[in-house]
Amino acid sequence: MPGSVPTAWAAGFAGAANRLPGRAMGRVTTRPAAEPPPRQARSGWLLSSVLPVLHRLLEMHGVDIDGLARTVGIDLRAVPVPGDRLDGTRVDALMQRALGQIADPAFGLMAARCWHPSHLGVLGHAWLSSSTLRTGVQRLARYLRIVDDRARIETEEVRGGLKVRYWAGRGDPATQPLAAVTIDVSMSILLDMCRLNAGAALRPLAASLRHGPPPEPRVYDRFFGCRVRFAARENTIVLARSDADRPLPTSNRLLAATFDRMLTEHLARLDRRDIVAGCEAAVLEGLSDGVPTQDETAARLHVSARTLQRKLAEAGTGYQQLLDRTRRDLALRYVEDPQRSLTDITFALGFAGPSSFTRAFRRWAGTSPSAYRSRRAAA
């Protein structure tokens, strides 16, 4: 049936993730935890400039992409207008129907050959101008919802490196092949983005995927450059600290700052309806005048403080947590810029003085701002 998923494909790829702890194809597999949704479940949208990536990927695998697109109401003849968005349900329907025509369960990895920074709009150019992979991934995490409002990226310091964690927001890959393919597409592009900036020889220390092992897991090992753990609790790559903090040849701090302003303004316009993004944008606007209170931020968003508190709780966060995260991200980025004095950064982030900023920075980075800057300069 057109649009259905081949039985062998689904059984060998997504269904394997449901196995109880044991060994499959020489790999330990465990039942993954349910994916925590980044926001309330909804159909979402994608930046229209991403569509050519999927177009090329599906064409490479013999799919009649033009015919399929018409059946779900997508006009591929239209030239994407910068900033335009596509209905996520239509894109999902397109990909779901395409799965029925593709036998290779690892085809999503080929997306690494199909993308270009311009497909991510301003975010793609901001990525290229990042000073290190760490700052680039942090930038990607902050602004990803401009490209895909269901996905989420987070970073975490782990022993020996930087863990980059990705959620697709498409459901459980153990039972939904579309979710599994979305993970492969996104993770392959994420790793290729890192290799574009840092060099093709970049190899993660570790990689894990939530979907089950395909018939040929070594295809994934070869692509990632390390042994991939399947049926994991998270979709991750771990970058060596030396790779994450190595200065990049494409770095341009002036351009990065310009792109950040453009992206922040885009978020403020685009996501006022999204309370988390709107709140972050309002906090950014208010920091130069001191630390904005919840009441002041609510007033900027034209909602009551109680409504703001309730909506943030529904999104799985709180005002103080959001405020702290926003200041932390800005502090790490600002301190890395040698053109900014630590005194200027202190007051730009709403701190009363250098001592309070240093205490907060030690909590965020495990070291003082001056030591952090020196370490980055030495790297």
Side-chain angles (χ1 to χ4, degrees):
M1 175 184 291
S4 63
V5 179
T7 302
W9 194 102
F13 188 37
N18 278 330
R19 297 171 184 161
L20 294 175
R23 289 196 176 271
M25 292 176 245
R27 310 216 175 202
V28 176
T29 61
T30 56
R31 187 187 301 277
E35 176 174 319
R39 294 169 195 85
Q40 291 181 336
R42 60 183 188 277
S43 59
W45 44 259
L46 282 174
L47 197 65
S48 63
S49 57
V50 173
L51 189 58
V53 180
L54 302 180
H55 188 293
R56 184 179 178 192
L57 175 64
L58 298 181
E59 270 194 336
M60 288 172 64
H61 290 84
V63 174
D64 177 15
I65 180 66
D66 296 300
L68 281 187
R70 286 193 295 270
T71 67
V72 298
I74 295 178
D75 182 6
L76 293 178
R77 295 170 300 178
V79 178
V81 176
D84 274 5
R85 293 169 288 170
L86 291 170
D87 181 355
T89 57
R90 295 188 179 189
V91 178
D92 287 352
L94 172 64
M95 291 300 292
Q96 185 67 49
R97 296 186 185 200
L99 294 186
Q101 301 182 26
I102 300 175
D104 180 8
F107 85 94
L109 297 181
M110 297 292 287
R113 301 184 183 181
C114 303
W115 82 285
H116 183 272
S118 62
H119 293 134
L120 304 181
V122 176
L123 182 55
H125 299 294
W127 171 268
L128 288 176
S129 64
S130 297
S131 56
T132 64
L133 288 183
R134 181 188 301 275
T135 57
V137 172
Q138 289 170 345
R139 184 169 280 120
L140 188 63
R142 172 173 289 277
Y143 300 117
L144 181 62
R145 58 181 166 270
I146 291 176
V147 177
D148 180 348
D149 79 330
R150 288 178 289 179
R152 187 173 76 193
I153 286 177
E154 292 181 352
T155 60
E156 177 187 355
E157 289 292 334
V158 296
R159 186 174 181 178
L162 179 72
K163 177 186 283 189
V164 183
R165 184 183 297 113
Y166 171 78
W167 286 279
R170 295 329 192 259
D172 185 356
T175 58
Q176 300 180 39
L178 174 63
V181 169
T182 301
I183 289 169
D184 281 358
V185 169
S186 300
M187 291 293 284
S188 68
I189 291 176
L190 173 62
L191 181 55
D192 199 63
M193 290 174 71
C194 293
R195 287 171 173 163
L196 177 67
N197 278 18
L202 178 72
R203 298 291 183 269
L205 297 178
S208 64
L209 298 171
R210 291 190 64 233
H211 64 67
E216 294 293 334
R218 286 173 294 183
V219 172
Y220 287 76
D221 294 347
R222 287 194 296 269
F223 175 80
F224 282 90
C226 65
R227 192 168 178 82
V228 177
R229 184 163 55 92
F230 294 96
R233 297 179 66 86
E234 303 172 322
N235 306 303
T236 66
I237 56 173
V238 178
L239 300 174
R241 189 165 288 115
S242 58
D243 289 330
D245 295 330
R246 182 181 300 117
L248 298 173
T250 55
S251 171
N252 189 314
R253 295 182 190 278
L254 288 177
L255 280 179
T258 300
F259 291 138
D260 278 343
R261 285 194 296 272
M262 295 170 65
L263 290 165
T264 299
E265 291 169 1
H266 193 160
L267 270 186
R269 292 193 307 269
L270 185 63
D271 287 338
R272 285 294 181 181
R273 293 167 296 173
D274 183 319
I275 195 66
V276 173
C279 191
E280 288 179 348
V283 166
L284 286 171
E285 292 171 4
L287 275 175
S288 60
D289 297 323
V291 181
T293 66
Q294 182 169 293
D295 288 347
E296 290 169 340
T297 300
R300 286 178 182 270
L301 295 172
H302 306 290
V303 299
S304 69
R306 179 174 295 182
T307 297
L308 176 60
Q309 183 177 15
R310 175 175 55 81
K311 288 185 174 292
L312 288 176
E314 291 172 353
T317 188
Y319 182 74
Q320 191 58 45
Q321 181 182 357
L322 183 146
L323 175 64
D324 191 64
R325 183 177 67 244
T326 302
R327 296 172 91 191
R328 178 201 66 197
D329 291 348
L330 287 174
L332 294 174
R333 214 158 59 228
Y334 287 171
V335 169
E336 194 173 291
D337 184 353
Q339 302 302 316
R340 286 180 175 268
S341 72
L342 296 182
T343 300
D344 287 343
I345 296 172
T346 294
F347 296 110
L349 296 179
F351 288 96
S355 60
S356 57
F357 172 53
T358 298
R359 284 195 300 272
F361 196 89
R362 283 186 182 277
R363 175 165 54 85
W364 294 327
T367 188
S368 69
S370 55
Y372 184 89
R373 173 171 283 179
S374 298
R375 189 173 71 189
R376 286 291 187 270

